[in-house]
Structure formats: structure tokens, C-alpha cells
Amino acid sequence: MGYQIEQNLIHVNSHTRPGTKLKGVKGVVIHWTANEAAGADADAHFRYFDKGLVYASAHFFVDSGKILRIIPENEVAYHVGAKSYKTTKYGTYPNATMIGVEMCVNAGANFQETWKRSVWLVADLLKRHGLSINELERHFDITGKSCPKFFTEDYYAQKYLGMSASAAHAKFVKEVAAILNPPAPAPAPTGTDIGTLEILAGGLNVRESASFSAKIEGVATKGQKFTVHAEKNGMYHISGNKLNGWCSAGTQYVKFTAKPKPAPKPAAPAPVSKAKSYTVVKGDTLWGISRKTGVSVENIKKINGLRNDLINPGDVLYLAKVHVVQKGDTLWGIATKNKLSVAQLKKLNGLKSDTINPGDVLTLA
Ligand SMILES: [Zn+2]
């Protein structure tokens, strides 16, 4: 179902609407208003930001009855500024390249309605600006600020959605992805299968052919299971869940279980590969995971940037230091920064060529 975007632009002023043009739209940031007072709806935020009293703003305010644009989509809003950033994906000043969407949490409103409108708006923005689900970020992902709190703190996720923060975030991403990539009628599977696959990542692109630059057919989401037909170029040909295409074979993203060989001769032992990630199950503690994986609690926390011992079922923990490839990265650059040779880096990751793609996850140790 679709919604209308209403527009009521605040006046140009130095504090909330500088009138500066965005340097292209590279991503969409989701926020919450953090204002739980009754009446703190989209219109109230229009009135507040139109006064131009604070150095803050956002393009959109969504409440349970409307989607309101208060700053044009090609202008800067001050929603994601900080002294330092967790990513360089959106340039050195993300306010210049990102659109901000604030979800209202005013008392008395129907949060489910706010949620539905926000999911629709984010998908609409990503679509209209030629972006993928990978360019949907939480404020937290860019600056580390705990926002929106129902996607970063279990207390607020329970309060608004009755689930953990990681589950709430995954649900939002999944619902946006479902609008972005409605499952296409899948051609019949090839008939052969070499095993099964479970998706570990929150959202994983499924592409038309065995290339990381091939057209995206859809997005597989965490926990979904697929039949695997082939492996090629570090990708698996999968089918299931109304999808049929190729996805990354990275063990950080997927868990592959080979089909037992029917051959009568004793099966050759599967190559032993050190697990690079661990998916948290109910009842897990960091200490227990450390015992199971042989990686110290201290290292698990360091690698995953955990500030406390809080983990949730479904969380994927990396067990080795990794680097997520950004646009412009080179193997030489990544190797040098991490005191490795290019040869060592390639060996660690089983790379046969020097080609890396944004979004690839490289093991560094
Ligand atoms: Zn925010």
C-alpha cells in the first residue's frame, strides 16, 4: 500500500535549513524524535524547526497519520553531524549526502502506523534516489549516537515493538527490502543441488548472475534457507523463498551445508576452515562463545566493537578482525593499513585476483 508525502517547508535560516544543496543523495538515515510527549507529532516538529532556534533538523517527520517533508530532498538538513564518523562511505560530512527521516514517538499515537509509513517512505526514498537497502542506515551507524533507540537499546525496542533492538532493526530492514525488491516469479530451479544455505547477514543481495556487479534480483534475509545449485566466483547459485540467483559465499554472510555425497566410497573429509563468524543463540554468553570458538572474550568484544557484554540471539559476531571493503579501497591500501603484505591478505581470504568489491568482508588475521 502507498502513502502520500505531504510537504510544509520550513523557511531558509542558518540553524535548521541552510538552503545548501546536497552533493547527491548517497544514503538515507533513520532517526527517532526522542520526544515522547503527547502532541509531539510531525506538525509540532515543523513548528519547532521553523523557528530556527537549534542547529538541528531533518528532511522528514513521520507520525501515525502523516509523512511530512519540511526540507527539500536536494538540500542539507542537520541530522547526522558529529566530531567523528564510524564510516567514510558517505564522505567526510554525511549531512551533505544523506536524507534524514525522523520517526515520531509522541504519546497517544499509534506507533504501528508510524512504523508502516516510515518503512514505505524509506523504500520510496531509496528507490527514487537509485539506492539499495545497503544505503539505509541508522543514525547510530554513522555517528555512534544511540538513535533510533528502538533499534539500538533493548529497553526501547521492548517498549515500542515487544522485541530486542537487533530484531526490531532487522524487521525494519526486511520490510523495506521487501518493498524495494518484490520477489519476482522465480524460474524453475536447475534441478541439481549441492547443499543448503542459511542466511546469516541481515540482508544479502541475490544477483542475476555469478558476479558481484550483476543486477540485484532480490534480497535474502537473515534466517532464510535456500537450496544451493552451484558455486562460482565466490558466489552460490541459490533458489527458494521466491528467489533464484547468486549470492555471496562469504562465511560471514551465509552458512553452507553440503549435501552428503551418495558415493559409496568413504567421503573425503571436508576442508577444515576456521569459522569466521558465530551467530548468537538463546542462552549464549560471551564467555560461553569464547569457550566454544577459542577466541577470548576481550578479542570478541574488540573485533565487534561491543561496549558491554550484552548479546542477543541472532546477533552475528565476527571471530577475526575484518575489514568491510569501501568504494575506493585497494588490496594494497588495506594490507598496508593492517601491517600485512598483499600476498598475506590474499592468502587469508583465498583471493586469486586483486579484485575486491565494496561490501566484501576481508579477514585480517
Ligand atoms: Zn538521530
Side-chain angles (χ1 to χ4, degrees):
M1 109 164 239
Y3 294 96
Q4 292 281 337
I5 293 175
E6 293 178 41
Q7 177 161 290
N8 195 9
L9 299 177
I10 58 175
H11 72 281
V12 173
N13 72 91
S14 60
H15 281 56
T16 56
R17 183 184 167 193
T20 324
K21 290 280 175 281
L22 286 176
K23 292 175 181 157
V25 176
K26 294 189 177 145
V28 174
V29 183
I30 191 85
H31 303 265
W32 78 323
T33 57
N35 188 344
E36 296 174 302
D41 60 7
D43 288 335
H45 282 87
F46 162 82
R47 291 191 294 272
Y48 176 68
F49 287 106
D50 193 42
K51 289 181 188 152
L53 300 175
V54 289
Y55 274 114
S57 52
H59 298 84
F60 289 92
F61 288 83
V62 182
D63 65 25
S64 55
K66 79 165 64 165
I67 297 172
L68 183 64
R69 177 163 51 219
I70 70 164
I71 293 178
E73 285 172 37
N74 63 350
E75 280 186 28
V76 167
Y78 294 134
H79 60 104
V80 72
K83 287 204 178 77
S84 65
Y85 298 97
K86 290 171 73 181
T87 172
T88 54
K89 183 173 173 185
Y90 304 98
T92 52
Y93 184 59
N95 270 332
T97 58
M98 304 190 85
I99 289 180
V101 173
E102 292 270 1
M103 292 171 73
C104 294
V105 288
N106 46 309
N110 180 339
F111 188 70
Q112 290 303 326
E113 289 297 323
T114 304
W115 172 282
K116 281 192 251 174
R117 282 167 179 74
S118 302
V119 165
W120 178 86
L121 172 65
V122 168
D124 182 61
L125 286 168
L126 292 172
K127 240 188 281 184
R128 286 194 289 108
H129 292 282
L131 303 170
S132 80
I133 192 70
N134 298 321
E135 283 78 49
L136 165 60
E137 307 282 2
R138 295 168 295 180
H139 189 173
F140 171 80
D141 299 313
I142 308 297
T143 70
K145 181 178 174 175
S146 185
C147 171
K149 277 197 175 169
F150 41 76
F151 291 160
T152 56
E153 296 182 25
D154 288 338
Y155 169 80
Y156 289 95
Q158 282 297 346
K159 179 172 172 184
Y160 286 93
L161 295 147
M163 59 183 82
S164 73
S166 59
H169 180 218
K171 182 175 189 284
F172 192 87
V173 170
K174 192 173 163 181
E175 290 183 19
V176 173
I179 300 179
L180 275 185
N181 304 293
T190 57
T192 57
D193 61 310
I194 60 170
T196 57
L197 193 80
E198 186 184 340
I199 306 296
L200 304 176
L204 188 63
N205 288 328
V206 177
R207 296 176 186 275
E208 200 169 42
S209 58
S211 156
F212 285 101
S213 53
K215 185 174 159 253
I216 296 169
E217 298 271 48
V219 177
T221 50
K222 193 167 180 171
Q224 284 187 327
K225 294 193 173 72
F226 293 88
T227 304
V228 181
H229 305 288
E231 185 181 8
K232 197 170 141 189
N233 303 338
M235 299 180 86
Y236 286 123
H237 180 201
I238 60 171
S239 71
N241 303 296
K242 293 185 181 158
L243 290 169
N244 186 355
W246 294 80
C247 71
S248 168
T251 52
Q252 306 87 350
Y253 302 123
V254 296
K255 185 176 163 225
F256 173 71
T257 310
K259 189 181 172 185
K261 291 225 171 73
K265 57 188 172 195
V272 180
S273 74
K274 208 171 126 196
K276 286 173 188 162
S277 69
Y278 178 87
T279 305
V280 177
V281 296
K282 210 174 160 192
D284 268 347
T285 60
L286 279 182
W287 184 80
I289 295 168
S290 168
R291 295 265 318 238
K292 257 188 249 182
T293 60
V295 182
S296 72
V297 170
E298 195 193 339
N299 277 339
I300 294 175
K301 288 175 76 170
K302 205 153 84 186
I303 291 163
N304 294 282
L306 300 179
R307 286 185 216 154
N308 53 43
D309 288 356
L310 218 64
I311 49 174
N312 295 297
D315 286 354
V316 175
L317 298 174
Y318 291 118
L319 299 175
K321 203 174 159 208
V322 295
H323 173 86
V324 180
V325 175
Q326 309 287 324
K327 206 171 161 190
D329 273 354
T330 61
L331 275 183
W332 184 85
I334 297 165
T336 310
K337 213 183 275 174
N338 293 284
K339 301 191 174 82
L340 293 166
S341 70
V342 171
Q344 283 171 321
L345 186 60
K346 284 172 76 172
K347 196 176 162 205
L348 277 168
N349 292 280
L351 295 175
K352 293 192 179 88
S353 77
D354 287 352
T355 310
I356 49 174
N357 295 295
D360 288 355
V361 179
L362 297 177
T363 300
L364 299 173

